[in-house]
Amino acid sequence: MSKIIDGKALAKSLRQDIKSAVNEIKSEYNYTPALAVVLVGENPASKVYVNSKAKQTVECGMESFEFKLPADTSEQDVLAKVEELNNDPKVHGILVQLPLPKHINEEKIINAIAVEKDVDGFQIINSGQLATGTGSPLIACTPYGCLMMLQDKYGKDLSGLNAVVIGRSNIVGKPMAQLLLDANATITIVHSRTKNIEEITKQADIVVAAVGRPEMVKASWIKQGATIIDVGINRIEVDGKGKLVGDVDFADVEPVAGAITPVPGGVGPMTIAVLLHNSIVASCRQNNKPVPKILDRYNRF
Amino acid sequence: MSKIIDGKALAKSLRQDIKSAVNEIKSEYNYTPALAVVLVGENPASKVYVNSKAKQTVECGMESFEFKLPADTSEQDVLAKVEELNNDPKVHGILVQLPLPKHINEEKIINAIAVEKDVDGFQIINSGQLATGTGSPLIACTPYGCLMMLQDKYGKDLSGLNAVVIGRSNIVGKPMAQLLLDANATITIVHSRTKNIEEITKQADIVVAAVGRPEMVKASWIKQGATIIDVGINRIEVDGKGKLVGDVDFADVEPVAGAITPVPGGVGPMTIAVLLHNSIVASCRQNNKPVPKILDRYNRF
């Protein structure tokens, strides 16, 4: 059995299940789930990402609404756009692509998104519900995708496993730790101010690396047989050529690991698939319909 | 120097500073900070606790409004009371004493409290802001009190320290871990599903025990010189007499610990003092005034 956790394959099978769910929704519930993406400005990486999202949304049979606003759009106008989408019953999920231009307060924009349409899971009530285990929050796509990969391997219950999350961002590290805790893992968060990171990761059954430092995690940090989830996507130069690498030194760590995600082809493909998953869930809730059963296996509990 | 972290003395000095702040607010800002406490039913422990809160509120020069509602009060009537207090400009802090009778949805009541008056810090937006490090949340009193004791000893920055929180409740464990992380500690949360708790706590510089299991933590769990914060308050019988003990076996652990909170007289007294502190902060924000400088030393950062 390969050690490689094939995120590309898992994302593909999630997208196929989403496609089936969309067909069921269209024929049984008589609406088409729709995701609206708002892009402000010309950040090249954001443009690529927004285009991928739109493409996959449509491929799954959903509707995709894209709003590309100029870089000098005022905060007020972005808020007005969000408000318009909040009030549009044809739109079930809203994603405002980050980062936003500097004159716009990101926190303000994110928190203006209606909680039930916040498919990125960054809005404050969704964050609060995740943090407190209350309600039914929409959950940040990248950590949720990581959890799906782990639960695909271990089952839903991670009791007795020691998980170490490297990094404490709101986008990955903190919600990841929360999801692992909810799944009954013992969790540790290490970060730039931690003195003995290697000693701590060395005891982990699961390591999730999300710091944005190319190939930081080495074999000496890892216990034999541990599962490694690499969230990092870093562009480095090798012999004058651009190359994508994770936060984990794959060649070094792979022989020690029990299972490991590659970069690219690991966590990355899961993120957009989970975004579509969240959009389906959001659309069903807004229409007071049950989520199609084919998606049950992706539930956290 | 004594190993004992004297929560009673620290709480007393916090209350003295609060009293000074209240005097300043009355003379400079021309209002009296006020805390409203709502008690539903006849839970004896809750009654004792509510009376202590009211007494200390008044002793600090604040106004205390108490609302004691019968056990069969409807959820709707409790919500109406909360709404009335939300809209009353003379009330700056609202605390609904938990637990509520079973026919009332606690989550619903807590989330009905105006975010700026939620001095218990349990409301979903305050929880979300704490979880994401955004905004200026009001923070749950018990974990905030624990942090104040730790920062009194170590200074604000806990960089390089390994902190282990035992327990994952919303009232203590989870917000405690968040506060420690924000203070740059490395944090681990262990709980009932953790297999090797002792091994993990044995590596900690700081252990916070918040599980409600009498004298669970033994000397063999603790690294020589570690700081132990005991949140537990458990009533046990010894030789036919009632006795309060913590989650830590004090007599066993004290010789190994570098510093330790007793039960009673440790964390307990801090909780109400922090509630008053939160009420002052809330009142200043609602009146668009700066918090009196004498309270600066209790800030997290």
Side-chain angles (χ1 to χ4, degrees):
Chain A
M1 210 182 92
S2 167
K3 285 182 179 184
I4 308 297
I5 299 176
D6 188 345
K8 215 167 154 181
L10 195 60
K12 191 177 169 190
S13 102
L14 173 52
R15 284 199 308 272
Q16 278 166 346
D17 290 339
I18 288 169
K19 204 167 174 173
S20 302
V22 171
N23 283 334
E24 191 179 329
I25 287 170
K26 284 177 175 173
S27 62
E28 309 273 325
Y29 302 166
N30 297 310
Y31 72 85
T32 302
L35 172 63
V37 177
V38 178
L39 173 64
V40 186
E42 305 284 336
N43 182 312
S46 291
K47 278 167 109 169
V48 170
Y49 202 43
V50 163
N51 287 340
S52 296
K53 285 171 185 172
K55 185 164 166 276
Q56 295 187 26
T57 304
V58 172
E59 279 170 3
C60 286
M62 297 167 58
E63 260 193 292
S64 167
F65 303 118
E66 289 155 72
F67 300 92
K68 293 180 176 167
L69 310 178
D72 63 353
T73 307
S74 70
E75 184 177 279
Q76 207 180 342
D77 285 352
V78 179
L79 283 172
K81 174 53 75 185
V82 167
E83 194 54 27
E84 180 196 316
L85 297 171
N86 282 344
N87 293 325
D88 185 344
K90 285 211 202 70
V91 170
H92 306 107
I94 302 170
L95 183 148
V96 178
Q97 184 65 44
L98 303 179
L100 289 167
K102 285 194 175 138
H103 66 282
I104 299 178
N105 182 337
E106 284 189 356
E107 208 177 306
K108 203 166 166 184
I109 301 294
I110 295 306
N111 287 331
I113 298 173
V115 55
E116 70 275 12
K117 295 191 179 185
D118 167 44
V119 286
D120 243 353
F122 296 153
Q123 193 267 2
I124 198 73
I125 292 180
N126 281 318
S127 301
Q129 288 185 338
L130 180 63
T132 56
T134 61
S136 301
L138 292 163
I139 295 164
C141 302
T142 299
Y144 197 5
C146 295
L147 183 76
M148 284 181 191
M149 292 195 287
L150 289 167
Q151 290 187 326
D152 186 60
K153 178 179 164 61
Y154 290 105
K156 301 292 181 198
D157 190 354
L158 307 180
S159 286
L161 294 168
N162 290 327
V164 174
V165 177
I166 311 177
R168 51 174 166 169
S169 74
N170 284 334
I171 294 176
V172 185
K174 288 182 189 175
M176 186 75 250
Q178 190 56 58
L179 290 168
L180 290 163
L181 184 63
D182 286 352
N184 294 322
T186 299
I187 59 124
T188 298
I189 303 179
V190 300
H191 47 79
S192 55
R193 302 300 187 84
T194 299
K195 271 193 184 140
N196 49 343
I197 292 194
E198 304 96 294
E199 276 173 51
I200 296 170
T201 53
K202 185 95 187 167
Q203 298 169 58
D205 304 300
I206 294 167
V207 174
V208 180
V211 277
R213 290 243 214 121
E215 302 182 324
M216 181 177 79
V217 178
K218 303 294 180 189
S220 61
W221 296 32
I222 301 299
K223 182 168 76 175
Q224 183 75 40
T227 296
I228 315 299
I229 306 288
D230 188 354
V231 180
I233 299 178
N234 311 289
R235 183 168 294 278
I236 60 166
E237 295 251 323
V238 179
D239 302 332
K241 283 186 190 168
K243 189 190 167 193
L244 285 185
V245 298
D247 292 345
V248 177
D249 186 336
F250 187 88
D252 193 41
V253 171
E254 192 266 346
V256 181
I260 183 167
T261 61
V263 175
V267 174
M270 287 299 289
T271 297
I272 297 184
V274 174
L275 174 68
L276 304 183
H277 168 274
N278 284 355
S279 301
I280 300 295
V281 170
S283 81
C284 292
R285 288 185 191 160
Q286 285 159 52
N287 286 279
N288 293 311
K289 300 289 186 189
V291 177
K293 284 208 183 311
I294 195 164
L295 295 181
D296 278 1
R297 55 184 286 236
Y298 304 100
N299 291 345
R300 289 196 287 151
F301 300 111
Chain B
M1 211 183 92
S2 167
K3 285 182 179 184
I4 310 297
I5 299 176
D6 188 345
K8 214 166 155 181
L10 195 60
K12 189 176 170 190
S13 102
L14 172 52
R15 285 199 307 273
Q16 279 167 345
D17 290 339
I18 289 170
K19 203 168 176 173
S20 302
V22 170
N23 283 335
E24 190 177 328
I25 287 170
K26 284 178 174 172
S27 63
E28 309 274 324
Y29 303 165
N30 298 310
Y31 72 86
T32 303
L35 171 63
V37 177
V38 178
L39 174 65
V40 185
E42 305 284 335
N43 182 314
S46 291
K47 278 167 107 170
V48 170
Y49 202 43
V50 163
N51 287 340
S52 295
K53 286 171 184 171
K55 184 165 167 272
Q56 294 188 25
T57 304
V58 173
E59 280 172 2
C60 285
M62 296 167 61
E63 257 192 295
S64 168
F65 303 118
E66 289 157 72
F67 300 93
K68 293 179 177 168
L69 309 178
D72 62 354
T73 306
S74 71
E75 185 178 280
Q76 208 181 341
D77 285 352
V78 179
L79 283 172
K81 174 54 74 184
V82 167
E83 194 54 28
E84 180 195 315
L85 297 171
N86 282 344
N87 293 324
D88 185 344
K90 284 209 201 74
V91 170
H92 306 105
I94 302 171
L95 182 147
V96 178
Q97 183 66 43
L98 303 181
L100 288 167
K102 285 195 176 139
H103 66 282
I104 299 177
N105 182 336
E106 284 189 356
E107 208 178 304
K108 202 166 165 184
I109 302 294
I110 296 305
N111 287 330
I113 299 172
V115 56
E116 70 274 12
K117 295 190 179 184
D118 167 45
V119 286
D120 243 354
F122 295 153
Q123 194 267 0
I124 199 72
I125 293 180
N126 280 318
S127 301
Q129 288 184 338
L130 180 63
T132 55
T134 60
S136 301
L138 291 164
I139 294 164
C141 302
T142 299
Y144 197 4
C146 295
L147 183 76
M148 285 182 190
M149 292 194 289
L150 289 168
Q151 290 187 326
D152 186 61
K153 177 178 165 61
Y154 290 105
K156 301 293 180 197
D157 190 355
L158 307 180
S159 286
L161 294 168
N162 290 329
V164 174
V165 177
I166 311 177
R168 50 175 167 168
S169 73
N170 284 334
I171 294 177
V172 185
K174 288 183 191 177
M176 186 75 247
Q178 190 57 58
L179 290 168
L180 289 163
L181 184 64
D182 286 352
N184 293 324
T186 299
I187 59 125
T188 299
I189 303 181
V190 300
H191 48 79
S192 55
R193 302 298 187 86
T194 300
K195 270 190 185 141
N196 50 344
I197 292 194
E198 305 95 295
E199 275 173 52
I200 296 171
T201 52
K202 185 96 187 166
Q203 299 169 55
D205 304 301
I206 295 167
V207 174
V208 181
V211 277
R213 289 244 214 121
E215 301 182 326
M216 181 176 78
V217 178
K218 304 294 180 189
S220 60
W221 296 31
I222 300 300
K223 182 168 77 176
Q224 182 75 40
T227 296
I228 315 299
I229 306 288
D230 188 354
V231 180
I233 300 178
N234 311 288
R235 183 169 293 279
I236 61 167
E237 293 252 322
V238 179
D239 303 332
K241 283 187 190 168
K243 188 190 168 192
L244 285 184
V245 299
D247 293 345
V248 176
D249 185 337
F250 186 89
D252 194 42
V253 171
E254 191 266 349
V256 180
I260 183 168
T261 61
V263 176
V267 174
M270 287 300 289
T271 297
I272 298 183
V274 174
L275 174 68
L276 304 182
H277 168 273
N278 284 355
S279 301
I280 299 296
V281 170
S283 81
C284 291
R285 289 186 192 159
Q286 285 159 53
N287 286 279
N288 293 311
K289 301 287 187 189
V291 177
K293 284 207 183 313
I294 195 164
L295 295 181
D296 278 1
R297 57 183 284 235
Y298 303 99
N299 291 346
R300 289 197 286 151
F301 302 111

